[in-house]
Amino acid sequence: MTQPVSPPRGSTAKVPEAQPPAWRGLPARADVRTLSLLGVLAALIVVGGITKPDEFLDTRNLQLVLTQASVVGVVTVGMTFVIVSGGIDLSVGAIVALASVWATTVATQEYGFAGILFTAIVVGVGCGLVNGVLIAYGSMVPFIATLAMLASARGLALQITDGKTQIVTVPSVLDLGERDAYVLGIPPLVMVFAVVTVIGWLVLNRTTFGRRTVAVGGNPEAARLAGIDVRRQRLYLYLLSGLCCGIAAFLLIVLSGSGQNTNGNLYELDAIAAAIIGGTLLTGGRGTITGSVLGVLIFFTITNIFALNNLQSDVQQIAKGAIIVAAVLVQRRTASTT
């Protein structure tokens, strides 16, 4: 057996030190990304304050931005889990639409607040279950399975409403959107978003479920060999995404006071874009709830600034596209240097 060779006595040669594992640098990089996103958000607030100080910095406007961001933000939390696992969910907007119209039918509203909330969540989870079974046990590509759900859910939502808007008549639901329901100036929708965000962060970063999600996204085969039931994990993740869609549908019902088959339009793109901006890799294996939430806030702050300055919606879409491209390029550059 060969013995390790030590440097000669009196020699100045140094024994090379073992390099620390690469994963130890991940928290530092995550902190840098979070600080960068906070810097971008702060810069946008400054721009809004300079261009339209009276309107943008008004308390009602800031509450409006946070309230609107809450609906997409809840969807984004679920989307982050799916993308971290190496999947994708293109059906979230359509699921929100279906859940919102199913929960606002005349028959459902007869059961009051509990009936609307229960129906929205059950429909969301049910759609997530279908996605999860097709992907995990049917071996379908997530892109195709969720694209099929997108088309089916949109069609069913249109069939339920017959193209008409369903008005909510339950006072206890409508009251949540009134200013009298605000707690210390915070709208109830924002509080729900905050709770979902905190729970999502704890699950992803402090539980076995979160570690398994990252493992499946990083290397599914290695995760399987380590004893993780990859198929069951993926099923749970799409159930989680459906649950978030159901919650978002209820928030949207409160916000708009109605259910429409057009609800949730392009939510899937906003959620994916927010997750990417927040540092979640489309290839899976890495992502942060904090970054995704900051991505949502950045998007809605930009939209609000553009609206206050009377810029066209096409300019907003171009700006969002540019931000997404820049975020992906930064991700690729970061990945090539690690």
Side-chain angles (χ1 to χ4, degrees), residues 170-335:
V170 180
S172 56
V173 173
L174 298 174
D175 289 345
L176 287 178
E178 300 296 330
R179 296 190 62 84
D180 293 340
Y182 290 10
V183 179
L184 299 177
I186 302 175
L189 274 65
V190 178
M191 298 174 66
V192 173
F193 176 34
V195 171
V196 172
T197 299
V198 172
I199 293 175
W201 186 91
L202 290 173
V203 171
L204 184 60
N205 296 281
R206 295 290 184 267
T207 67
T208 303
F209 183 87
R211 290 191 290 272
R212 288 176 177 172
T213 300
V214 175
V216 169
N219 191 324
E221 182 60 20
R224 185 186 67 81
L225 294 175
I228 298 175
D229 190 332
V230 175
R231 292 190 299 178
R232 185 172 60 185
Q233 185 70 16
R234 285 175 173 162
L235 173 62
Y236 288 162
L237 289 167
Y238 281 95
L239 285 173
L240 176 61
S241 179
L243 173 63
C244 289
C245 289
I247 296 173
F250 180 76
L251 297 183
L252 190 57
I253 291 170
V254 173
L255 182 62
S256 63
S258 63
Q260 305 176 53
N261 65 284
T262 56
N263 282 343
N265 188 34
L266 297 181
Y267 276 16
E268 57 276 0
L269 298 184
D270 287 341
I272 293 171
I276 294 172
I277 291 174
T280 301
L281 290 180
L282 274 175
T283 53
R286 191 184 76 190
T288 67
I289 298 297
T290 303
S292 297
V293 169
L294 289 175
V296 172
L297 295 178
I298 288 172
F299 263 161
F300 277 87
T301 302
I302 292 174
T303 301
N304 184 256
I305 292 174
F306 282 10
L308 291 177
N309 286 277
N310 297 319
L311 295 177
Q312 299 297 324
S313 59
D314 54 351
V315 179
Q316 299 179 27
Q317 298 302 324
I318 293 172
K320 286 184 178 181
I323 293 173
I324 295 171
V325 171
V328 172
L329 291 176
V330 170
Q331 279 192 4
R332 293 186 62 181
R333 182 178 179 85
T334 302

Side-chain angles (χ1 to χ4, degrees), residues 128-141 145-146 148-149 235:
L129 176 63
V130 174
N131 281 336
V133 170
L134 291 176
I135 294 168
Y137 296 96
S139 300
M140 289 188 67
V141 177
T146 57
M149 175 59 72
L235 173 62

Side-chain angles (χ1 to χ4, degrees), residues 12-259:
T12 58
K14 295 183 178 180
V15 178
E17 298 180 357
Q19 296 294 325
W23 60 265
R24 289 189 178 177
L26 289 177
R29 290 197 295 272
D31 290 340
V32 171
R33 285 194 299 270
T34 301
L35 291 175
S36 300
L37 291 171
L38 287 172
V40 171
L41 183 60
L44 289 173
I45 293 175
V46 172
V47 171
I50 293 175
T51 57
K52 291 289 182 179
D54 295 333
E55 294 91 340
F56 180 78
L57 297 178
D58 183 71
T59 302
R60 290 177 179 268
N61 182 64
L62 297 178
Q63 290 172 336
L64 175 63
V65 173
L66 291 174
T67 301
Q68 293 175 338
S70 297
V71 181
V72 178
V74 172
V75 174
T76 303
V77 171
M79 180 70 78
T80 301
F81 276 89
V82 172
I83 297 178
V84 168
S85 72
I88 198 74
D89 192 347
L90 300 180
S91 63
V92 291
I95 294 175
V96 169
L98 178 59
S100 68
V101 299
W102 207 323
T104 54
T105 60
V106 175
T108 303
Q109 292 193 50
E110 291 180 355
Y111 293 94
F113 183 100
I116 293 176
L117 176 60
F118 177 79
T119 303
I121 291 178
V122 167
V123 172
V125 173
C127 292
L129 176 63
V130 174
N131 281 336
V133 170
L134 291 176
I135 294 168
Y137 296 96
S139 300
M140 289 188 67
V141 177
F143 182 91
I144 300 300
T146 57
L147 185 62
M149 175 59 72
L150 183 156
S152 301
R154 283 288 178 193
L156 185 55
L158 179 60
Q159 187 178 46
I160 291 175
T161 62
D162 195 23
K164 301 176 182 178
T165 299
Q166 298 179 163
I167 304 300
V168 177
T169 58
V170 180
S172 56
V173 173
L174 298 174
D175 289 345
L176 287 178
E178 300 296 330
R179 296 190 62 84
D180 293 340
Y182 290 10
V183 179
L184 299 177
I186 302 175
L189 274 65
V190 178
M191 298 174 66
V192 173
F193 176 34
V195 171
V196 172
T197 299
V198 172
I199 293 175
W201 186 91
L202 290 173
V203 171
L204 184 60
N205 296 281
R206 295 290 184 267
T207 67
T208 303
F209 183 87
R211 290 191 290 272
R212 288 176 177 172
T213 300
V214 175
V216 169
N219 191 324
E221 182 60 20
R224 185 186 67 81
L225 294 175
I228 298 175
D229 190 332
V230 175
R231 292 190 299 178
R232 185 172 60 185
Q233 185 70 16
R234 285 175 173 162
L235 173 62
Y236 288 162
L237 289 167
Y238 281 95
L239 285 173
L240 176 61
S241 179
L243 173 63
C244 289
C245 289
I247 296 173
F250 180 76
L251 297 183
L252 190 57
I253 291 170
V254 173
L255 182 62
S256 63
S258 63

